Amino acid sequence: MNLNDLLNHRSEWLKGTGPHSDIVISSRIRLARNLASAPFPHWSNKKQGRDVLDAIEQAVGKINYLKGTTIFELADLDSLDKQFLVERHLMSYGHAHKTNSKAVVIDNEEIVSLMVNEEDHIRLQVMQSGFNLFEAWNIINRIDDCLAKELSFAFSLDYGYLTACPTNTGTGMRGSVMLHLPALVIIGQIKQVLNAISKLSFTTRGLYGEGTEATGNFFQVSNQVSLGHSETEIIENINGLIRQIIEQENQARETLMSKNKSVVEDKISRSFGILKNAHIISSQETTELLSMVRLGISLGLIKEIDSSSVNELFIITQPAHLQKLENKKLSSQERDVKRAEIIRDKLNKQ
Amino acid sequence: MNLNDLLNHRSEWLKGTGPHSDIVISSRIRLARNLASAPFPHWSNKKQGRDVLDAIEQAVGKINYLKGTTIFELADLDSLDKQFLVERHLMSYGHAHKTNSKAVVIDNEEIVSLMVNEEDHIRLQVMQSGFNLFEAWNIINRIDDCLAKELSFAFSLDYGYLTACPTNTGTGMRGSVMLHLPALVIIGQIKQVLNAISKLSFTTRGLYGEGTEATGNFFQVSNQVSLGHSETEIIENINGLIRQIIEQENQARETLMSKNKSVVEDKISRSFGILKNAHIISSQETTELLSMVRLGISLGLIKEIDSSSVNELFIITQPAHLQKLENKKLSSQERDVKRAEIIRDKLNKQ
């Protein structure tokens, strides 16, 4: 697989399928693992980092489930490629910088990604479309078992998996769910919901993970604690919380439709109209307007386009995607023009 | 003719034809005349007002050129009808209030309108589409000659036609031209142009005449002085000024297209997109967006609709028109919904 192959390909997790996919974009499980034989990445010297990468690369090659994957060493990628992978949620922003034997392993469907020498030796991630944490868990658990047969992980009987940052120690697992909560935002109840989430020891982030702001009414909710509970208990906890949020968002949508239908219809329809007609559009405005279109599809107010196409637009209108599609470096102004062009093409074709 | 007949009829002056109709919406000449036999309207008692109305009604009936006209006494019209006539530019806002033997005479094509007992006994107006003051003058002059044969006008050899307000004395004529100057507004030169206009003893007003603000980049320019020059001299003066403004607007449009094409294209296309999709829209926003669409048609950026349809939308989306179309009283909120519906219908049908 070449990185450019991904460009015209719709990631599995963007397909807009799976349970509650009108509210839950995607479910993600990631595991942090470290080799017992080497210091954590930021304590490793060059040789140690290289040895870790070689060992993991070898292990991956032996695992049947990972047969269809490709390994990209970050030293071989230019900054555009790296940004491209971050935009596709295949690796973290932090992983794109500093390149001591870093790599990322990706499968064709973009369900599995494995970062080597990020904060931990291994950051394994499995993404699923919709509200589907257990399915993601089943896949990642199988891969983890295979990896454990090939590699000797740093593990303590008292603490569980040892990780570079103590907050990940234990299961080394984080489950997160990307939620689209426009109705709770519009009726002004989102603050309450976010407060409740943080009191229950979960964290909320924006579209691009740690440190990013919530735009377009997207909220990524994940567990903070990974110690003292089994993986399935943690997932069950997240699921319980997410079910409540889904219920609240659904109620908010009903409220909107019963009390403010024409205002909502106006907002949604205008957003769609602007996207179909703009010739210059920023990334921020795109996210906000697409968010309204996504709501419109869920509410049955927009029928010309499916949510899978909208999900895809969120991804391909980002800076690195635009530049790879155009196959050249684009200034911010040029990107705003290209972005508008792509959106017009997609939405007017439907 | 019934007032409702006008509802689905496109006034002659809205046809978007005539010289320079991309910049000049319409040209209008009005004459102020008073009968020598009666005091000015605001000094008249009931009987005197009635006598004036009867005399004018009789005269109108005898004039061949006015055969196709209908006379509406304002006492017979409800407030919606009156507002409707104001919105169609067939009578002044002031004429709609206080009803001492007031009337308005209108022809089917809405080229001619004659207000009885407004500020003067007779306010005769002729409208033409595009930059066409002399054509309007030819028509109004013919009608004025016919009226003069039937009625004895207050006229002084020293001052010319006598009028209720001294600013109209002399020719009693005002020529005005409705201009659409979006490019001068966008590139920030409009203030300069308006200053120059006022220094040359012309006045600038908004869409609805005296006391109204300029919205949607529409400016009505007319002569201030009606004394000391012949009618054709006054018209030639206005024409000279308007030709310069047209030239400046055309230059501004060229500047926009050569230096800021994508920004302009974006603004125009978004405006069109919002109009085609909004479900709630105010009168003010409608005017502003239609103004951009009109510019888009002139610049060849919008081809799905002609400027005549846009001109018509300016008129039929106004409050009284909406209520007459819906055939019932509508609240401001209801009008915003109905307005959006009409605009969507018209623009998406094209």
Side-chain angles (χ1 to χ4, degrees), chain B residues 178-198:
Chain B
M178 181 70 76
L179 298 164
H180 186 223
L181 307 175
L184 284 169
V185 173
I186 294 172
I187 70 167
Q189 281 186 7
I190 193 69
K191 234 180 175 166
Q192 258 173 276
V193 173
L194 297 181
N195 281 341
I197 293 173
S198 74

Side-chain angles (χ1 to χ4, degrees), chain A residues 4-287:
Chain A
N4 288 327
D5 295 343
L6 297 178
L7 204 55
N8 296 308
H9 177 263
R10 200 170 287 179
S11 324
E12 175 65 28
W13 64 274
L14 284 174
K15 294 209 165 139
T17 54
H20 297 288
S21 60
D22 54 336
I23 293 174
V24 184
I25 311 277
S26 60
S27 300
R28 184 180 78 112
I29 301 271
R30 74 107 169 101
L31 295 176
R33 297 288 184 260
N34 288 280
L35 306 198
S37 57
F40 293 130
H42 52 293
W43 293 105
S44 293
N45 59 30
K46 272 201 162 179
K47 179 168 183 319
Q48 290 166 325
R50 186 72 237 177
D51 288 346
V52 166
L53 174 52
D54 289 343
I56 294 171
E57 204 165 329
Q58 239 183 342
V60 165
K62 288 185 189 158
I63 296 172
N64 249 332
Y65 204 93
L66 299 178
K67 272 273 146 56
T69 58
T70 310
I71 187 156
F72 297 96
E73 293 200 20
L74 266 63
D76 301 337
L77 301 180
D78 62 21
S79 63
L80 199 62
D81 287 333
K82 288 188 255 186
Q83 198 188 339
F84 174 76
L85 290 170
V86 172
E87 289 176 359
R88 290 186 87 80
H89 296 239
L90 292 170
M91 70 182 205
S92 65
Y93 180 76
H95 199 47
H97 298 273
K98 294 178 247 152
T99 48
N100 180 17
S101 300
K102 286 170 185 284
V104 61
V105 179
I106 300 162
D107 78 313
N108 288 334
E109 296 305 314
E110 299 174 68
I111 294 171
V112 179
S113 112
L114 189 159
M115 289 186 283
V116 181
N117 285 325
E118 204 241 24
E119 189 180 291
D120 296 294
H121 293 147
I122 292 178
R123 283 285 179 100
L124 180 63
Q125 149 185 307
V126 167
M127 299 261 277
Q128 289 286 293
S129 182
F131 185 27
N132 230 340
L133 278 176
F134 271 117
E135 181 57 22
W137 166 246
N138 288 336
I139 298 171
I140 208 167
N141 194 26
R142 223 173 303 153
I143 300 171
D144 181 43
D145 287 348
C146 297
L147 285 169
K149 277 182 202 149
E150 306 295 333
L151 301 162
S152 169
F153 288 149
F155 185 84
S156 137
L157 283 176
D158 288 334
Y159 300 115
Y161 292 101
L162 302 179
T163 52
C165 175
T167 57
N168 292 311
T169 300
T171 58
M173 188 187 85
R174 177 156 285 156
S176 50
V177 171
M178 181 70 75
L179 297 164
H180 186 223
L181 307 174
L184 284 168
V185 172
I186 294 172
I187 70 167
Q189 280 185 8
I190 193 69
K191 230 176 176 171
Q192 258 173 276
V193 173
L194 297 181
N195 281 341
I197 292 172
S198 74
K199 274 189 196 140
L200 292 166
S201 298
F202 292 90
T203 47
T204 325
R205 290 162 182 162
L207 258 180
Y208 295 97
E210 214 157 337
T212 66
E213 277 229 14
T215 51
N217 313 310
F218 291 102
F219 301 89
Q220 187 178 313
V221 176
S222 50
N223 60 309
Q224 224 163 10
V225 179
S226 63
L227 184 72
H229 295 281
S230 73
E231 288 86 348
T232 49
E233 278 170 356
I234 294 171
I235 293 173
E236 206 33 88
N237 270 340
I238 307 176
N239 279 353
L241 172 71
I242 300 299
R243 268 184 229 112
Q244 281 180 45
I245 302 175
I246 290 172
E247 176 61 25
Q248 286 171 309
E249 171 67 16
N250 274 328
Q251 275 173 13
R253 291 181 184 192
E254 273 172 38
T255 304
L256 277 184
M257 286 299 271
S258 62
K259 296 202 180 138
N260 282 302
K261 189 175 175 202
S262 57
V263 175
V264 176
E265 205 165 0
D266 181 56
K267 203 172 160 64
I268 288 169
S269 188
R270 280 173 181 248
S271 301
F272 199 30
I274 293 171
L275 287 168
K276 283 194 284 192
N277 288 281
H279 279 68
I280 299 175
I281 195 163
S282 71
S283 181
Q284 165 94 6
E285 190 185 4
T286 300
T287 306

Side-chain angles (χ1 to χ4, degrees), chain A residues 266 269-270 277 279 285, chain B residues 266 269-270 277 279-280 285:
Chain A
D266 181 56
S269 188
R270 280 173 181 248
N277 288 281
H279 279 68
E285 190 185 4
Chain B
D266 181 57
S269 188
R270 280 173 180 248
N277 287 280
H279 279 69
I280 300 174
E285 189 185 5

